[in-house]
Amino acid sequence: MRKMIVGERKPLAEIAEMLEPFRKVCVLGCGTCVTVCLAGGEKEASETAAALTLLAQKEGKDLEISTHTLLRQCEYEYIDDYAEKLAEADVILSLACGVGVQTMATRLQDKIILPGLNTQFMGYPLQQGVWAENCLGCGDCVLDLTLGICPITRCSKSMLNGPCGGSQDGKCEVSKDVDCAWHMIYERLVKMGMESRMETIQPPKDWSTSHHGGPRTIVREDVRLENRE
Amino acid sequence: MKTESRLEKVLNAGHFAVTGELGPPKSSDIETLKHHAEAMRNHVESYNITDNQTAIVRTSSIGVAASLIQMGLEPNVQMTVRDRNRICLQSDLLGAVSFGVKNFLCLQGDHAKFGNQPQSKNVNDLDSMQLLKTFKDMRDEGIFIGGEKMDHPLPSIFLGAVANPFADPFEYRPLRLAKKIAAGAQFIQTQCIFDIDRFERWMAKVRELGLHKKCYIMGGVTPIKSIGAARYMQKNVSGMIVPEELITRIKGAEDKKKEGIKIAVETIQRLREIEGVAGVHVMAIAWEEVVPEIVESAGLYPRPTV
Ligand code: SF4
Ligand code: SF4
C-alpha cells in the first residue's frame, strides 16, 4: 500500500480545544493510509493520547482517555466490529482521514466524531519522511497526454498547454522547492521522441467530472448487491 | 467588421509600434493613473492595463479601460485566467467590447501566492492558451466555449498574448509562441528584455519557424529605476533574467536613474535592428513619467498617424 491519502495531525492545542466539553475520549487510529504516512496510526494514536493526558493533568482536567485502532475507518464492516468498544466514550477523536471521520459519523449516528488530522492529499512517499501530492481525482485522467506526470495536480496553475512564463531552471514560480510539472513533461516527451504532442491545443477541460461538478458518487450496477440477488 | 484598433492599424501599416503600461491603484481613485496616461498620450499607440498584477487587489482593468476610452485613449485590456472562470471571462469580454475595448491580452497570471490574498482560491478554469482560442472563436465563429452560438457575432477584436524568452525550457519557448499564434495571438508582448543576447537567440528560432510573419512581436522594455529594483527582479521574479553586467553598469554610473533610462533606450535601438521585431512594449510601472523621454530618445517620436 504505497499510494495513499496523506494527512498531518492537527496541533495539540487545537485538538485540546475541540475536546474541551468532553470527559471520556477515545483516540481512534486508522490502520491504513494514515498509518503509512505516520499521521494517524496506532503509534500516533497512543502518542496523541499520552500528550492529551499530560496536558489534562497540567490543567487539572479530569480526562479519561482510551485508544484503539481500526484497520479502516472508511468501511462499515470494520466500524461495526468495533462499535461495542467505542460505546463507552463521550467522543471519538478520529485520526483517520476525512473519509474515515465521515464514514464513522454516518455509521455511528449517536456518537460525536471529531477530526484529529488535517487531511491533505492523495500522494505517495517521495523519500523517507517526504510525501508528494500527485492526483486531484479530476475524473478525466490526462496522464496519457503527459506520459505520467499530472499537470492538473503538479502544475501550480493546472495548465494543460505547456509551461507558463514563470518556469525557470526546472522549478515552478511558486517555490524553488517545487519542480515545474511542465518542464518535467517536456523533458519526458523529448526523451520519448513525442514532444510534438505539445503542439496540440488542448481544449478547455471538462471540470464537471471533478469535484466542481458537485459531490460525486460512483454506482456500479454490475456489483451492487440488489442486482446480484 | 474590421477592427478600429489603432495598435493594429499602426502594426499593419508596418510602423514600429509602441505600447505603454498602466498599473491600476489599490483604490478606486485613478486620477494619478489618468495623469500618467495623459502624459504619454502622444508617445504610445495604446496602453496595457494590468489585471490585478502580481495577484494584488487593484481597480479592475476593464474599469480603468472605460475611463481611458472616455479620454479618447486606447486600452489593451489584460485578462488573466487566475481569478475568473470561463463564464466570467467570456462575459467580461462581451462587457468590455460593448463599450469599445478592441485590444485584449490573454494571460495566465501570477500565482495568488505572490499577492495580498495568498489564501484565495486560484481559479485556472481555462489556461492562457485556451483563453486565446476562446476569444478567437467568439470573434471568428461567433460561438461560446462548447459551441453554442452567440446572439450576435463579436465585432473584430485584436488579440494579444505574452511570450517569455527568459523562461525555461528555452528550446520549447519558440514552439510555445507558435502554439499561441495557432490559438489566436495576433500580437505578442515579451517579458522585459535585459538579456538581449538570449532574446536574439530566441528570435533567431522564431524567424526560423517563420513566426514573425504570422504575428507582431513587440519586445518588452523596462527602465531600471534603481539597483534595488534590478536586484529584486533578478532574485525574486521567476522567469526574469537580469545580467550582473547591467547592475554593475548602473552601479558605476554617476546618475543611476539616467543610466537606467539610457539602457532602456539602447535596448529599444537594438531591438529595432532585429528582424521580426515589430515594436516595443514599454513597462515603466511606478516610473511612468519617463516613458515620453525614452520614446523620444529612442527616435520613436512623433508617433505615426494612421
Ligand atoms: S489527470 Fe486527473 S485523474 Fe489523472 S492524475 Fe491528474 S488529477 Fe488525477
Ligand atoms: S512554473 Fe511550471 S508548474 Fe509552476 S505554474 Fe508555471 S507551468 Fe505550472
Side-chain angles (χ1 to χ4, degrees):
Chain A
M1 180 52 118
R2 298 303 276 170
K3 82 141 176 41
M4 59 187 147
I5 294 179
V6 183
E8 274 182 313
R9 217 208 54 209
K10 281 181 179 286
L12 196 68
E14 187 185 339
I15 293 178
E17 199 184 323
M18 63 171 98
L19 291 177
E20 183 57 40
F22 308 101
R23 205 182 67 81
K24 283 187 177 174
V25 177
C26 170
V27 179
L28 190 63
C30 188
T32 313
C33 309
V34 294
T35 294
V36 189
C37 72
L38 313 177
E42 196 168 0
K43 180 164 166 279
E44 292 76 25
S46 12
E47 284 169 2
T48 304
L52 285 168
T53 307
L54 213 66
L55 193 71
Q57 281 168 359
K58 227 169 69 186
E59 291 174 354
K61 190 187 163 190
D62 177 22
L63 196 66
E64 200 180 296
I65 297 196
S66 59
T67 58
H68 292 288
T69 298
L70 256 177
L71 187 58
R72 285 164 190 250
Q73 293 186 31
C74 59
E75 283 189 44
Y76 287 167
E77 264 182 84
Y78 296 92
I79 299 173
D80 292 347
D81 285 351
Y82 239 83
E84 249 171 70
K85 292 203 179 94
L86 304 173
E88 280 289 284
D90 299 339
V91 65
I92 296 165
L93 178 74
S94 163
L95 294 194
C97 70
V99 179
V101 175
Q102 294 184 68
T103 312
M104 292 275 297
T106 309
R107 194 58 166 179
L108 306 174
Q109 290 278 339
D110 48 7
K111 280 268 162 238
I112 291 169
I113 320 287
L114 299 176
L117 295 195
N118 289 322
T119 305
Q120 306 270 3
F121 51 77
M122 282 193 275
Y124 71 116
L126 205 60
Q127 45 178 271
Q128 182 70 26
V130 181
W131 290 268
E133 177 175 30
N134 58 10
C135 176
L136 277 167
C138 74
D140 184 11
C141 195
V142 300
L143 288 176
D144 56 318
L145 301 174
T146 57
L147 300 185
I149 298 163
C150 176
I152 309 299
T153 313
R154 296 168 74 184
C155 163
S156 304
K157 301 174 186 172
S158 294
M159 296 170 73
L160 277 171
N161 281 290
C164 75
S167 175
Q168 207 162 30
D169 302 323
K171 297 296 175 189
C172 173
E173 73 171 26
V174 305
S175 163
K176 295 268 174 276
D177 299 327
V178 176
D179 291 324
C180 168
W182 275 106
H183 193 113
M184 292 191 284
I185 293 167
Y186 176 73
E187 295 207 316
R188 189 151 170 73
L189 288 169
V190 168
K191 191 168 162 209
M192 299 297 175
M194 292 162 89
E195 65 272 29
S196 62
R197 281 192 174 198
M198 277 173 73
E199 289 167 19
T200 312
I201 299 169
Q202 295 303 329
K205 187 169 172 65
D206 177 358
W207 293 106
S208 71
T209 61
S210 78
H211 176 71
H212 295 279
R216 294 167 282 177
T217 314
I218 292 178
V219 180
R220 281 272 308 272
E221 292 300 345
D222 57 332
V223 289
R224 289 189 85 174
L225 281 180
E226 301 91 278
N227 294 357
R228 273 197 263 161
E229 274 158 15
Chain B
M1 185 163 87
K2 190 70 197 144
T3 164
E4 310 258 312
S5 159
R6 171 176 163 81
L7 176 62
E8 187 177 15
K9 277 196 260 177
V10 168
L11 287 164
N12 279 344
H15 300 295
F16 193 82
V18 183
T19 48
E21 183 154 311
L22 300 168
K26 288 192 258 185
S27 80
S28 59
D29 178 356
I30 61 166
E31 285 314 308
T32 310
L33 176 144
K34 283 162 123 176
H35 167 79
H36 289 315
E38 194 55 59
M40 50 176 127
R41 173 186 283 272
N42 299 317
H43 293 81
V44 299
E45 268 64 73
S46 58
Y47 306 78
N48 280 31
I49 306 165
T50 53
D51 175 12
N52 295 306
Q53 198 177 21
T54 57
I56 289 170
V57 184
R58 298 165 184 283
T59 299
S60 71
S61 102
I62 291 178
V64 169
S67 294
L68 285 204
I69 287 176
Q70 279 167 5
M71 294 164 72
L73 299 174
E74 183 167 300
N76 309 332
V77 167
Q78 296 198 358
M79 288 176 89
T80 74
V81 296
R82 180 191 57 226
D83 313 318
R84 287 173 276 188
N85 72 6
R86 65 188 77 181
I87 301 173
C88 194
L89 288 164
Q90 293 175 95
S91 154
D92 276 354
L93 176 81
L94 297 179
V97 172
S98 77
F99 63 81
V101 179
K102 283 146 195 143
N103 309 326
F104 292 88
L105 202 76
C106 300
L107 311 170
Q108 188 71 35
D110 299 315
H111 196 274
K113 185 182 175 173
F114 299 107
N116 60 359
Q117 311 290 318
Q119 304 86 351
S120 75
K121 197 168 178 178
N122 284 270
V123 178
N124 299 320
D125 176 18
L126 303 181
D127 65 22
S128 52
M129 199 71 72
Q130 295 159 348
L131 183 67
L132 269 171
K133 180 75 166 60
T134 298
F135 287 178
K136 179 182 195 286
D137 287 349
M138 287 172 80
R139 182 193 60 198
D140 298 349
E141 317 290 333
I143 54 172
F144 293 115
I145 292 174
E148 194 195 335
K149 275 243 168 290
M150 294 162 58
D151 288 344
H152 294 285
L154 196 71
S156 208
I157 51 173
F158 192 43
L159 287 176
V162 290
N164 188 357
F166 311 103
D168 293 319
F170 180 67
E171 328 74 66
Y172 171 68
R173 292 293 154 181
L175 303 172
R176 183 159 178 78
L177 173 62
K179 196 170 178 179
K180 286 200 171 175
I181 294 169
Q186 297 167 286
F187 71 100
I188 291 287
Q189 292 170 334
T190 75
Q191 172 68 289
C192 317
I193 302 163
F194 298 112
D195 182 349
I196 198 149
D197 295 335
R198 177 158 163 150
F199 179 78
E200 281 189 340
R201 287 204 304 279
W202 178 78
M203 272 307 295
K205 186 72 194 173
V206 165
R207 283 194 303 272
E208 196 183 305
L209 296 169
L211 303 178
H212 61 307
K213 300 216 167 93
K214 296 186 183 153
C215 81
Y216 297 111
I217 297 167
M218 306 182 70
V221 176
T222 288
I224 296 175
K225 199 176 180 181
S226 64
I227 306 277
R231 278 270 179 254
Y232 182 82
M233 290 188 280
Q234 186 186 46
K235 299 251 183 289
N236 302 330
V237 184
S238 198
M240 268 201 165
I241 298 180
V242 182
E244 198 53 40
E245 304 91 77
L246 264 194
I247 297 184
T248 316
R249 179 173 159 188
I250 296 174
K251 262 190 189 155
E254 216 162 278
D255 187 335
K256 300 194 170 35
K257 289 195 169 165
K258 239 194 188 124
E259 198 66 17
I261 294 171
K262 208 168 146 210
I263 292 171
V265 171
E266 287 169 18
T267 305
I268 295 177
Q269 282 161 344
R270 237 180 112 180
L271 289 174
R272 286 182 80 176
E273 302 299 313
I274 301 174
E275 187 194 342
V277 176
V280 281
H281 174 53
V282 185
M283 293 167 269
I285 293 289
W287 205 16
E288 290 82 356
E289 58 276 19
V290 297
V291 173
E293 182 186 341
I294 291 173
V295 172
E296 286 170 28
S297 309
L300 292 168
Y301 187 83
R303 303 302 310 140
T305 37
V306 286

